[in-house]
Amino acid sequence: MLGQKTPPEPGSHQIFVGRASEIALLRTALDDARSGRGRLVLLSGPPGIGKSRLAAEFTGLMADEGVLTMIGRSWEAGGAPAYWPWVQAIRSYMRSADPQVVDRQIGSGLGEIATLLPELADSKPDVPLPIATEPAADRFRLFDALATFLRSVAEDEPLIMVLDDLQAADIPSLLLLRFVADQLAVTRILVVATYRDVELTPDHALASTLAELHRAPVTTSLALAGLDVAEVTRFLEAASGTSNLASVAPTLHRQTSGNPLFLGEALRLLKSSGGEQVTSTVTRMIVPAEIRALIERRLAGLGPDAREYLEVASVFGNEFDVDSIRRYQGVSVEEILDLFGEAVAAGLMLEVSGGRARLRFSHDLIRHTLYTGLAPARRVRLHRQAAVILEEVYGDKVEEHLAELALHHFEAAPGGDAAPAVDFGRRAGDQALRTLAYEEAGRLFEMAIEALEGVTSGDLSEIVDLHLSLGDARVRAGDLPGAGEAFWRAAEIARRLPDARRLAQAAVGYGGRFVWARAGGDQRMVPLLQDALVLLGGEDDRLRVRLMSRLACALRSSADREYCDALSGQALDLARQIDDPLTLIFALTGRAGAVWWPENPEERLGIGAELVSIGETSGSIEGIVDGHMLRCMALAEMGDTGAARRELETLSRTGGLVRMVAYRWLDVAMRTSFALLEGSLDEVEPWVEEMLAQTPTTRARDNVSGALLQLFILRREQGRLSELEETIRRAAVEFPWYPMHRIALAILLATGGQHVEARQILGDLSTNRFGALHRDNFWIPSLCLVAELAVELGEGSIATVMYELLEPYAARNAFTFAEGPLGSVARYLGLLADMLDDPEAADQYLEAAESANRKMGARPWLAHTLYDRAQLLIRRDMPGDTDQAASLL
């Protein structure tokens, strides 16, 4: 015990009453987990309601029954390493378990797990560290290794894992929770996660995580309410050691809503006033909004030295080593223990069991009240001294505490030396990248940038490098807009220096995750890539390949197809001369995007096969995924939807698309297109809504554009096209580089009888034999829609042009992976031939379309074709036509 002269009185943190139904629910969840049906319980409520106390009581009961428990708590004060609650939980288990058992449970995931737990690598010098490939794939392997380890632990004995205070968790920890939750259903694991619901704004990282977790079948939500009157009475009696407070329980229950923390404060106020009755003054004070005033009142009861020591401790965090405070104050161990003993006796602090003397605040709100009450100048000074002390304490273990030291140096930077903040921020960010905590790395790089930019003499090259690192972290985290801002800032400074290599890195990064993405409405992308390419010259072949590939794809919507062809071809030739599989994968993907033309699906099919081969040889998940996707799209265009489906299912079996966050929208888009093709219309709308809700994935916002066109196809098949007029009008303006939206608008107008405006749009598009329609992957579907529009409006001259343009592609399927299917091209040729008074050709094309749509399983378009052909036969009225038409109908 600390050097206190009197034992502490019972506090609200030590008392547990009620919660019988909650304990029963947790027991039921554990029973499910024991039988192999893992569960996740999300335990929420306001501060002080008893979430952590309930979790502790439950795990204590289960520990008495021999159930294994791992507990991790998020660090409220900031500065903790990424994945801190998980690291805490797993580390505590490994320290107490048999090392040989742990080795077996970790299995082949040793290298991945060692990136989070350096002590594993220290104890096993031959640990095979994982080879970095692509960000999403690397993080998947880490998450999979951790989940596999936990599942293996639970196979030996059921496991309860408690993750406390999720509202303070870093984003990587939340992503890992989502990953583990996806696999809980077949494990013997119960995860109990607590969080304060009052702190969740819509943009809080936990809010989106909870939305995902609530949809999972394994999840149960448990929102803690306050204690009822009877429980309040029991609480007061236990806390006071008397049985004469029943008369005040109803009043306190009303004023505190049964919140145990506020009840404890109310009881302290009662005792301090020397009475047993609750006065009106006291009852008005006991409300959650005034908890800070209550805490301040408790702090006022301490001596000045004890208060000062607590203020110093608040800078170190919610939990700290007493020796750190002793070093700061320069006093004896006995004196500091006496002073902290006073705080423990007042219920403000708790001792942490095990090892050297450690303390923690009894509630996060107490530390927060102390910390926010510090004068700014004093706070800066305390952080500066804390950084010096902790560096001394950690010694040769500093690398394990970089994030914590970065925070102290950053808070100490105003008005002082920013160099340590920049150095530790950069090192901590690099470390977070190594542990695949991309979001946390971005936060740390932002801190370093802010500290460096606050110094007028900051090194511009260092600022560029930090922005490049920030952009890289954001790209890996899937934050395209944020990454673009960081790379653009890096490019601006690199231009001023000038620095060709750094400018090239910024330009490549600015383009985003997908090599094939076009510039869309971004007016900065192409000039930036061009400038970087000129300035780089022949300095770095790898960067040159990336610049040329990106530029060729950025210009996909331009009329200069020859330039895109030549540029992507040069990039691919140069990449083949470099012994670097990742550079070759980049160039191959860029080549496929730059020449994604209607006349060359066979070439793209071959590129896809080469990508799969190189990806498998080099271990590049992205190469494999890109290759299968290219093959899927090319095969679908060629009408071999069975083989295309198999490519997509190959991806699903390996989990390639789902595991890689940046690819999630492509997975959904492709599945939506196949659902539309096959007529599974009920599946389409939820997927479209998901794509529309996602953050932009490319500069051209392809996920939004594609989802809107798929919605157009869906509503058209449902006979509800008129509902979309406002939406499609807006899309036609927002996506001028995708003319399909204007065509969709014209079809909607024509269908609704607004022929004048529909004809005006059609006339604008028809200039130069429809030169406004880029001859890319959208060209054939666009022509098919225009063909229908020309027939609807009776535009014979346009029908003639459409017939000539489409005829070479009669055997094709009008299909784009993200915008949806339109069935066999032969159907549209049949409609055009019919309008152009060539019934024999029309019948031949419609018969071919019937066969093709049937073979592809394109049921809606098969139905349309059967109807079209029946109408043709009825109008032709040759012998047998009427019977055949009746059969078709």
Side-chain angles (χ1 to χ4, degrees):
M1 295 293 290
L2 294 174
Q4 58 194 50
K5 298 178 175 58
T6 56
E9 296 178 1
S12 59
H13 57 274
Q14 298 171 300
I15 299 168
F16 186 83
V17 299
R19 307 302 190 198
S21 62
E22 289 86 352
I23 291 287
L25 183 149
L26 290 170
R27 280 186 177 276
T28 300
L30 179 59
D31 289 342
D32 286 344
R34 279 173 162 149
S35 63
R37 302 189 307 276
R39 299 287 300 280
L40 167 65
V41 177
L42 296 174
L43 186 55
S44 64
I49 202 67
K51 303 176 294 297
S52 301
R53 186 71 184 87
L54 172 60
E57 182 73 13
F58 174 67
T59 54
L61 291 172
M62 296 305 99
D64 291 342
E65 297 180 15
V67 180
L68 176 64
T69 300
M70 296 186 193
I71 301 175
R73 180 175 290 107
S74 301
W75 188 253
E76 289 278 351
Y83 306 106
W84 183 240
W86 296 91
V87 169
Q88 277 184 299
I90 294 171
R91 182 175 282 160
S92 64
Y93 167 73
M94 289 184 175
R95 285 173 176 168
S96 61
D98 184 330
Q100 292 184 335
V101 172
V102 172
D103 287 346
R104 172 179 58 79
Q105 292 167 338
I106 291 176
S108 61
L110 179 60
E112 283 75 16
I113 296 176
T115 62
L116 294 190
L117 299 170
E119 58 266 34
L120 283 178
D122 293 342
S123 63
K124 302 177 186 300
D126 57 344
V127 169
L129 295 179
I131 299 173
T133 54
E134 288 83 23
D138 294 341
R139 185 142 73 176
F140 168 78
R141 286 197 298 272
L142 170 63
F143 285 9
D144 188 49
L146 288 166
T148 301
F149 165 66
L150 294 174
R151 186 166 57 247
S152 179
V153 171
E155 285 173 359
D156 292 342
E157 50 185 327
L159 168 64
I160 302 174
M161 171 163 274
V162 176
L163 301 172
D164 206 5
D165 286 333
L166 282 189
Q167 78 283 344
D170 56 289
I171 294 175
S173 289
L174 298 178
L175 293 174
L176 178 54
L177 175 58
R178 285 168 58 176
F179 186 95
V180 170
D182 285 342
Q183 305 187 31
L184 279 181
V186 292
T187 71
R188 298 208 298 165
I189 303 173
L190 166 62
V191 176
V192 179
T194 78
Y195 65 95
R196 294 182 202 152
D197 49 11
V198 297
E199 298 185 12
L200 295 188
T201 57
D203 59 346
H204 194 290
L206 180 57
S208 59
T209 300
L210 291 173
E212 291 284 338
L213 294 176
H214 282 308
R215 287 196 287 266
V218 299
T219 302
T220 299
S221 296
L222 180 54
L224 279 194
L227 304 175
D228 61 27
V229 174
E231 291 165 341
V232 166
T233 302
R234 288 162 52 198
F235 179 96
L236 295 173
E237 290 174 348
S240 65
T242 64
S243 57
N244 59 351
L245 291 176
S247 61
V248 303
T251 303
L252 285 179
H253 177 267
R254 184 174 64 256
Q255 295 298 328
T256 65
S257 299
N259 184 301
L261 177 64
F262 304 147
L263 282 169
E265 297 305 318
L267 188 58
R268 289 179 184 278
L269 288 176
L270 281 172
K271 290 189 174 184
S272 67
S273 66
E276 297 180 354
Q277 299 300 313
V278 181
T279 67
S280 60
T281 301
V282 173
T283 57
R284 282 199 301 271
M285 289 180 63
I286 310 303
V287 292
E290 293 171 335
I291 187 63
R292 180 183 175 112
L294 296 172
I295 292 173
E296 286 287 2
R297 184 162 179 170
R298 286 175 63 189
L299 292 170
L302 298 175
D305 289 343
R307 169 72 185 243
E308 181 183 355
Y309 277 43
L310 261 65
E311 288 173 344
V312 172
S314 73
V315 172
F316 283 82
N318 197 47
E319 183 180 314
F320 56 90
D321 190 329
V322 171
D323 184 55
S324 297
I325 311 300
R326 182 195 64 76
R327 290 171 186 249
Y328 176 85
Q329 296 294 89
V331 297
S332 68
V333 173
E334 291 75 13
E335 184 177 353
I336 201 167
L337 290 178
D338 279 342
L339 289 168
F340 277 131
E342 186 179 341
V344 170
L348 295 164
M349 306 201 81
L350 302 173
E351 292 186 73
V352 178
S353 60
R356 52 194 183 179
R358 290 185 66 81
L359 290 171
R360 67 180 176 88
F361 290 95
S362 58
H363 199 281
D364 299 327
L365 295 176
I366 296 171
R367 188 205 71 86
H368 182 73
T369 299
L370 286 160
Y371 183 78
T372 56
L374 293 171
R378 185 175 178 223
R379 188 184 305 165
V380 167
R381 186 171 65 254
L382 289 175
H383 275 292
R384 185 175 297 124
Q385 291 171 296
V388 172
I389 290 169
L390 290 174
E391 285 187 57
E392 179 184 334
V393 169
Y394 295 144
D396 59 0
K397 298 291 186 181
V398 161
E399 291 295 315
E400 297 177 19
H401 304 274
L402 290 175
E404 180 184 4
L405 291 167
L407 175 66
H408 286 299
H409 281 298
F410 175 75
E411 295 294 343
D417 183 9
V422 175
D423 178 51
F424 276 94
R426 176 185 51 75
R427 289 163 61 190
D430 290 339
Q431 184 183 70
L433 283 181
R434 288 194 296 273
T435 60
L436 316 182
Y438 310 132
E439 299 80 4
E440 187 66 6
R443 186 186 66 80
L444 290 161
F445 289 134
E446 286 174 354
M447 283 172 49
I449 290 169
E450 185 176 342
L452 186 57
E453 289 184 338
V455 181
T456 55
S457 60
D459 183 348
L460 291 181
S461 295
E462 190 171 13
I463 292 177
V464 173
D465 289 340
L466 284 170
H467 275 95
L468 290 173
S469 295
L470 174 59
D472 180 41
R474 288 175 173 174
V475 164
R476 293 167 186 253
D479 178 9
L480 177 67
E485 292 174 10
F487 284 124
W488 182 254
R489 178 62 178 147
E492 286 181 319
I493 303 172
R495 271 196 181 108
R496 294 203 323 255
L497 285 172
D499 188 315
R501 209 166 173 282
R502 286 183 169 94
L503 179 61
Q505 290 174 319
V508 170
Y510 182 81
R513 163 62 192 83
F514 297 108
V515 189
W516 45 259
R518 63 191 86 209
D522 191 317
Q523 301 300 313
R524 303 191 297 190
M525 181 192 251
V526 170
L528 175 58
L529 289 165
Q530 290 172 331
D531 290 351
L533 193 55
V534 170
L535 192 61
L536 184 68
E539 185 178 329
D540 186 316
D541 285 344
R542 286 178 175 82
L543 273 175
R544 189 168 180 80
V545 167
R546 282 166 166 75
L547 285 171
M548 289 192 292
S549 299
R550 279 220 178 275
L551 181 56
C553 292
L555 292 168
R556 284 174 59 199
S557 296
S558 72
D560 195 353
R561 295 207 314 166
E562 291 74 15
Y563 180 65
C564 294
D565 183 10
L567 197 61
S568 62
Q570 291 170 21
L572 183 55
D573 290 342
L574 182 57
R576 293 193 187 282
Q577 299 170 31
I578 302 171
D579 184 19
D580 181 3
L582 297 183
T583 299
L584 182 54
I585 286 171
F586 197 100
L588 284 166
T589 308
R591 173 66 180 173
V595 297
W596 198 336
W597 301 334
E599 56 265 36
N600 66 354
E602 293 83 0
E603 178 184 351
R604 289 180 278 115
L605 194 63
I607 292 174
E610 186 175 0
L611 278 169
V612 172
S613 175
I614 298 171
E616 290 174 344
T617 302
S618 65
S620 169
I621 298 295
E622 289 192 7
I624 295 171
V625 169
D626 286 341
H628 282 299
M629 287 178 61
L630 273 174
R631 289 181 58 79
C632 176
M633 297 166 198
L635 288 164
E637 293 171 38
M638 295 164 71
D640 193 348
T641 54
R645 262 290 196 187
R646 288 192 291 276
E647 294 286 342
L648 186 57
E649 293 310 316
T650 298
L651 289 175
S652 296
R653 283 196 300 274
T654 61
L657 287 174
V658 175
R659 293 172 183 176
M660 301 167 72
V661 176
Y663 281 87
R664 172 61 183 166
W665 80 273
L666 291 175
D667 178 46
V668 175
M670 293 170 72
R671 294 188 180 284
T672 305
S673 288
F674 277 106
L676 284 168
L677 181 75
E678 296 160 2
S680 302
L681 303 186
D682 291 343
E683 299 176 11
V684 172
E685 195 143 0
W687 284 341
V688 168
E689 290 175 358
E690 179 180 341
M691 285 185 286
L692 291 174
Q694 290 170 343
T695 56
T697 51
T698 64
R699 300 252 165 242
R701 296 189 298 143
D702 290 291
N703 57 314
V704 176
S705 172
L708 290 175
L709 287 167
Q710 289 178 330
L711 186 60
F712 164 78
I713 294 173
L714 174 66
R715 291 288 184 258
R716 195 179 183 203
E717 293 304 310
Q718 293 173 329
R720 298 166 53 189
L721 197 52
S722 61
E723 298 175 14
L724 289 182
E725 182 172 346
E726 182 180 344
T727 300
I728 295 178
R729 282 188 183 278
R730 188 167 58 248
V733 174
E734 291 180 0
F735 299 98
W737 51 90
Y738 288 143
M740 279 185 74
H741 290 286
R742 295 179 67 199
I743 301 170
L745 175 59
I747 288 176
L748 181 148
L749 294 170
T751 304
Q754 301 180 61
H755 289 179
V756 174
E757 189 177 355
R759 280 195 170 90
Q760 182 179 347
I761 295 173
L762 183 57
D764 292 343
L765 291 169
S766 65
T767 304
N768 253 348
R769 287 175 63 87
F770 290 88
L773 303 183
H774 309 302
R775 202 176 176 92
D776 58 9
N777 52 305
F778 299 109
W779 192 68
I780 288 178
S782 295
L783 292 182
C784 290
L785 288 175
V786 171
E788 282 192 279
L789 182 60
V791 171
E792 175 74 22
L793 296 175
E795 294 287 346
S797 60
I798 289 178
T800 300
V801 175
M802 286 297 101
Y803 193 85
E804 294 171 0
L805 293 175
L806 277 174
E807 196 168 21
Y809 306 101
R812 291 288 183 79
N813 175 25
F815 185 96
T816 63
F817 76 95
E819 286 70 28
L822 296 171
S824 170
V825 172
R827 176 190 170 230
Y828 303 92
L829 286 165
L831 295 176
L832 292 168
D834 185 25
M835 182 183 179
L836 296 171
D837 294 325
D838 189 348
E840 184 175 347
D843 189 35
Q844 290 174 353
Y845 276 126
L846 289 173
E847 185 176 10
E850 177 187 340
S851 175
N853 284 326
R854 194 182 300 278
K855 180 181 178 182
M856 291 189 297
R859 293 188 297 168
W861 283 271
L862 174 60
H864 288 309
T865 304
L866 293 173
Y867 178 82
D868 295 335
R869 192 171 177 223
Q871 295 302 310
L872 171 68
L873 294 173
I874 290 170
R875 288 194 302 274
R876 190 174 67 176
D877 199 22
M878 293 178 62
D881 281 354
T882 302
D883 290 341
Q884 189 176 2
S887 175
L888 292 171
L889 291 172

